[in-house]
Amino acid sequence: MSPTPVDLTAGESARVLGRVLAPLVAQGAIVRRPRATAWAERHQTDRTARAVLTDLRERHGGAPLVVRIGSRHLVVVTEPEDVRRLLEGSPEPFTPATKEKHAALAHFQPEGVLISSTAERWHRRPFNEAVLQTDQPVHDDGAAVVDAVHRGAAQLTQLLASTGRFDAQGFTDAWWGIVLEVVLGSKARGDRELIAVLDALRRDANWAWLRPRRTRLREELEGRIASYVQTPEQGCLAAAAHRCGPATAVGQVPHWLFAFDAAGAATLRALAMAAARPPVRERLLVEAEPAGPAAGPAAGSSASPALLPYARACVLESLRLWPTTFAVLRDSTGPTDWGGRTLPAHTGFAVVSSFFHRDPARLGHADAFVPDAWLDGRNSADWGLIPFSGGPVACPGRNLVLLVASHLLTRLVARDLRVARGRYLARDPVPATVDHLGLRFRVAGGA
């Protein structure tokens, strides 16, 4: 039986709010704030958060921690079995459409499956799974996806040839080109106005209730997406979405773009680890050899692209060490018995990812970069490790995201990059907080 949830004292609650939750909110849950992420790295805020939650877990015997936020009760869980209960019990009796999440995401994806009611999920979730081909390791359009990746990698290669370096902004520009082509087709690849509109709405979403909804701007975003979905190119998600239901597609695409943004951060950090650690880079190159220097089929090929298990594991390990979803949130849809205590309906629950992902009480490699732990089953069997959430509402785009990220990672390490600012990444323990927006790369031997 789970321990009974404990009400934290005012002092304990202040520690959780000020040293765990506040830094996460400050960095931006929906789109990162550059100054705040740089500050978080300087102060290693995730290390502090882990220390606070570890102390409270030990003090209260692993019981869920009840924090009072105004009239709202938020239960912060500290044990993997409690994570399992929340995720396996989603979307009922623990809905992912929490009050906080709905207030934020409704700014740019009011019909997104993540904040849909249980009734709306009955058709929106299957739609997402069908288009994203959740159960397939490699999407049917995998060859086209990898071709898009190669074009993005070529953009960065040209930048390296002309300047000898690129930074996070250069990477992000190439990444959005890849994502737009994968989701909406090659004609969308240069549509940075779409991304600008999305980013403006996402910046509003960071403020949730504190910013008014910009209906006209959201309609502009939906109109741009609809123009690609209505007459889609073959080989992109828009074509699959058109076949499965174009009316539903327009409401779901903003979340796909949002999720791919987080995947870009994970890929950038994985690239930094490979650039800083020659053994990791060498293993990635060996894995890519059977597929040729491009780590995938030639442009125009219909062959299924290579799976690249080690490259995928590197991206997953990047997500373990530095989760892009700061906290997995759930709301109870009715009264809940937990450890003999009845929690009222609409109680909030939080899983602080960085705490579980770096817990030395469970993980011998908590602060080390160990991709093999994703290959030998050590990480996959742990309910505390949730880079793509888990249970019935786990991310339906996991395999597609890993296909894109792993092929780009392998393509870029062939350039023999070095991290211009990041020698600390070569050593264990790796830092608890890494500002991906501050990463810079150069060609080996360059200035």
Side-chain angles (χ1 to χ4, degrees):
M1 184 175 179
S2 298
T4 303
V6 297
D7 293 304
L8 296 186
T9 66
E12 290 172 332
S13 293
R15 290 176 66 201
V16 172
L17 292 172
R19 305 183 74 181
V20 178
L21 301 180
L24 304 183
V25 173
Q27 291 176 69
I30 308 302
V31 62
R32 299 295 183 258
R33 299 180 175 105
R35 291 182 180 178
T37 57
W39 176 88
E41 181 184 85
R42 288 195 302 273
H43 293 273
Q44 290 295 293
T45 56
D46 290 304
R47 182 175 60 200
T48 301
R50 183 174 71 179
V52 169
L53 292 179
T54 298
D55 174 66
L56 292 172
R57 178 179 63 186
E58 294 174 354
R59 185 181 304 180
H60 296 291
L65 311 171
V66 183
V67 182
R68 186 77 175 265
I69 308 174
S71 61
R72 177 91 156 137
H73 287 84
L74 181 68
V75 180
V76 179
V77 298
T78 60
E79 295 291 346
E81 278 305 307
D82 290 338
V83 178
R84 180 175 185 172
R85 179 178 178 182
L86 289 171
L87 298 186
E88 287 189 336
S90 300
E92 289 285 349
F94 303 111
T95 177
T98 68
K99 293 180 180 179
E100 294 82 5
K101 203 180 299 179
H102 194 280
L105 296 183
H107 279 276
F108 65 97
Q109 49 159 315
E111 297 178 1
V113 67
L114 199 59
I115 56 173
S116 295
S117 67
T118 302
E120 292 165 334
R121 276 182 166 272
W122 282 113
H123 69 275
R124 289 176 181 170
R125 174 74 188 197
F127 172 87
N128 277 268
E129 291 179 348
V131 174
L132 301 173
Q133 297 183 0
T134 301
D135 295 332
Q136 294 185 205
V138 177
H139 199 279
D140 285 345
D141 292 322
V145 168
V146 172
D147 281 345
V149 170
H150 293 170
R151 281 185 277 275
Q155 178 178 332
L156 288 170
T157 299
Q158 292 170 3
L159 186 59
L160 287 170
S162 62
T163 67
R165 62 183 61 237
F166 67 83
D167 59 12
Q169 184 56 54
F171 176 91
T172 299
D173 187 61
W175 177 261
W176 275 124
I178 295 169
V179 171
L180 288 170
E181 183 170 351
V182 167
V183 176
L184 299 173
S186 61
K187 293 180 181 178
R189 188 177 189 97
D191 193 348
R192 294 304 187 271
E193 184 60 29
L194 187 155
I195 298 303
V197 171
L198 177 63
D199 279 351
L201 291 170
R202 289 170 62 209
R203 286 192 293 272
D204 288 348
N206 272 346
W207 296 94
W209 296 281
L210 301 179
R211 284 282 174 88
R213 305 280 170 80
R214 290 199 273 178
T215 304
R216 289 185 180 180
L217 197 61
R218 195 187 74 238
E219 289 174 350
E220 181 181 346
L221 174 67
E222 292 171 350
R224 284 180 172 274
I225 291 171
S227 69
Y228 296 110
V229 173
Q230 288 165 359
T231 55
E233 299 176 22
Q234 294 305 306
C236 68
L237 296 183
H242 186 80
R243 292 191 297 270
C244 295
T248 303
V250 173
Q252 305 310 306
V253 168
H255 187 70
W256 301 347
L257 298 174
F258 168 47
F260 265 116
D261 183 32
T267 307
L268 193 54
R269 292 190 182 107
L271 178 62
M273 294 301 286
R277 299 179 177 224
V280 173
R281 175 180 178 271
E282 290 302 319
R283 190 163 169 185
L284 287 167
L285 292 176
V286 169
E287 181 172 76
E289 283 177 0
S301 169
S302 61
S304 180
L307 192 58
L308 304 178
Y310 184 71
R312 290 165 67 101
C314 286
V315 177
L316 285 167
E317 188 68 345
S318 169
L319 284 165
R320 179 185 72 82
L321 290 167
W322 304 289
T324 53
T325 300
F326 292 146
V328 175
L329 303 177
R330 294 290 185 268
D331 275 358
S332 60
T333 57
T336 305
D337 179 78
W338 201 300
R341 174 177 176 178
T342 300
L343 300 170
H346 312 303
T347 295
F349 294 84
V351 179
V352 179
S353 305
S354 60
F355 168 69
F356 282 99
H357 286 197
R358 295 279 197 113
D359 183 6
R362 301 181 353 266
L363 305 170
H365 56 285
D367 292 312
F369 184 74
V370 186
D372 280 312
W374 293 101
L375 301 175
D376 60 24
R378 279 178 287 169
N379 286 352
S380 303
D382 191 321
W383 272 94
L385 302 181
I386 47 174
F388 287 92
S389 190
V393 301
C395 175
R398 171 186 170 120
N399 284 328
L400 180 61
V401 163
L402 290 176
L403 178 67
V404 173
S406 61
H407 276 266
L408 182 59
L409 175 62
T410 307
R411 182 81 170 187
L412 292 177
V413 296
R415 300 298 304 171
D416 196 12
L417 298 174
R418 296 292 183 269
V419 184
R421 186 190 67 86
R423 293 182 181 179
Y424 54 86
L425 295 175
R427 301 185 299 269
D428 290 334
V430 294
T433 307
V434 169
D435 172 22
H436 66 284
L437 299 175
L439 291 171
R440 299 190 299 273
F441 300 85
R442 59 177 176 80
V443 177

